[in-house]
Amino acid sequence: GAVVSQHPSRVICKSGTSVKIECRSLDFQATTMFWYRQFPKQSLMLMATSNEGSKATYEQGVEKDKFLINHASLTLSTLTVTSAHPEDSSFYICSARGVGILTEAFFGQGTRLTVV
Amino acid sequence: QKEVEQNSGPLSVPEGAIASLNCTYSDRGSQSFFWYRQYSGKSPELIMFIYSNGDKEDGRFTAQLNKASQYVSLLIRDSQPSDSATYLCAVVLSGGYQKVTFGIGTKLQVIP
């Protein structure tokens, strides 16, 4: 299957700082990328959908000024958690899809964020 | 009503048995459906992708789709202890952004 690379896999940051997570599609053009958050023993919760070259669409309850998403190219999307707080500690996962309705969505490896 | 519904389980089956995982969805316009496997602390891994009514087989896995009933299932034949994981059903919703929405996942335990 297609490869989606997410970096870093783990990050620990101090409260109040910002953290950037990168998601790259390595062997296909990802017209759409999704960012999810998963708390322990819970399902994946969609945070936002980003299409290359346009502003991200955020799910209800997700602060767009806190979770900055950039999808500047067909192979790269970034999520920046600004002014991180301990409650932002979670597993963040990106997913990428190519063109067309009948295409798979592939996941990156996930980023374990711990805010101390 | 949730967009994608799954029984959270756990579903326990003996080694070698068939595990049957079920999922229903609310968006009648949905056309693409996925099954992912997620081990604890890891990212989901794509197992099956189906978009036509009927069955799709890949090795020990068979996905079944019934759009009229808005139902998709995953059968795992000859279940192995290594199949123990959470299985996530995902649906591409109709509409401009084609969001991929997940069910809560069914935890499968294969007992040796």
Side-chain angles (χ1 to χ4, degrees):
Chain A
V3 178
V4 176
S5 176
Q6 187 173 341
H7 178 81
S9 58
R10 287 179 182 274
V11 59
I12 300 173
C13 71
K14 290 185 177 180
S15 189
T17 62
S18 295
V19 173
K20 180 185 281 190
I21 302 169
E22 290 190 351
C23 181
R24 293 181 184 272
S25 57
L26 299 185
D27 54 1
F28 69 103
Q29 293 185 327
T31 52
T32 307
M33 285 191 175
F34 305 91
W35 287 95
Y36 296 87
R37 180 167 52 182
Q38 188 176 38
F39 292 105
K41 300 189 187 304
Q42 294 188 23
S43 187
L44 295 162
M45 296 302 297
L46 179 65
M47 298 175 67
T49 302
S50 72
N51 289 286
E52 184 265 339
S54 61
K55 289 184 179 180
T57 301
Y58 289 81
E59 294 299 298
Q60 192 172 6
V62 178
E63 299 174 58
K64 62 181 181 181
D65 294 330
K66 180 171 180 62
F67 298 100
L68 303 179
I69 291 172
N70 185 286
H71 191 166
S73 76
L74 285 171
T75 59
L76 174 64
S77 177
T78 60
L79 167 67
T80 301
V81 183
T82 62
S83 188
H85 291 286
E87 56 264 33
D88 297 325
S89 299
S90 187
F91 191 45
Y92 292 85
I93 313 173
C94 73
S95 175
R97 290 185 73 213
V99 177
I101 295 173
L102 304 180
T103 55
E104 297 94 324
F106 296 95
F107 282 86
Q109 302 93 320
T111 298
R112 177 77 57 194
L113 170 64
T114 303
V115 184
V116 298
Chain B
Q1 182 185 7
K2 292 183 180 178
E3 292 168 323
V4 182
E5 298 220 38
Q6 292 181 260
N7 189 318
S8 61
L11 172 66
S12 295
V13 299
E15 184 175 355
I18 296 175
S20 178
L21 303 160
N22 304 313
C23 172
T24 58
Y25 60 95
S26 61
D27 179 7
R28 188 169 284 279
S30 297
Q31 297 187 43
S32 303
F33 309 86
F34 309 95
W35 282 100
Y36 292 86
R37 176 173 60 195
Q38 186 177 28
Y39 293 108
S40 181
K42 301 293 185 183
S43 189
E45 169 194 8
L46 181 66
I47 298 175
M48 294 286 284
F49 167 54
I50 187 168
Y51 55 87
S52 297
N53 273 326
D55 295 359
K56 179 180 179 181
E57 186 175 317
D58 184 0
R60 295 186 296 113
F61 299 99
T62 299
Q64 299 173 317
L65 174 61
N66 184 325
K67 291 184 181 179
S69 299
Q70 294 174 242
Y71 173 93
V72 58
S73 65
L74 179 71
L75 300 178
I76 306 175
R77 289 181 297 282
D78 189 23
S79 296
Q80 301 297 309
S82 58
D83 294 328
S84 298
T86 297
Y87 288 80
L88 301 167
C89 171
V91 175
V92 179
L93 301 181
S94 59
Y97 290 106
Q98 297 177 20
K99 292 191 302 185
V100 181
T101 302
F102 286 81
I104 194 171
T106 298
K107 186 171 183 178
L108 173 66
Q109 295 175 339
V110 180
I111 312 300

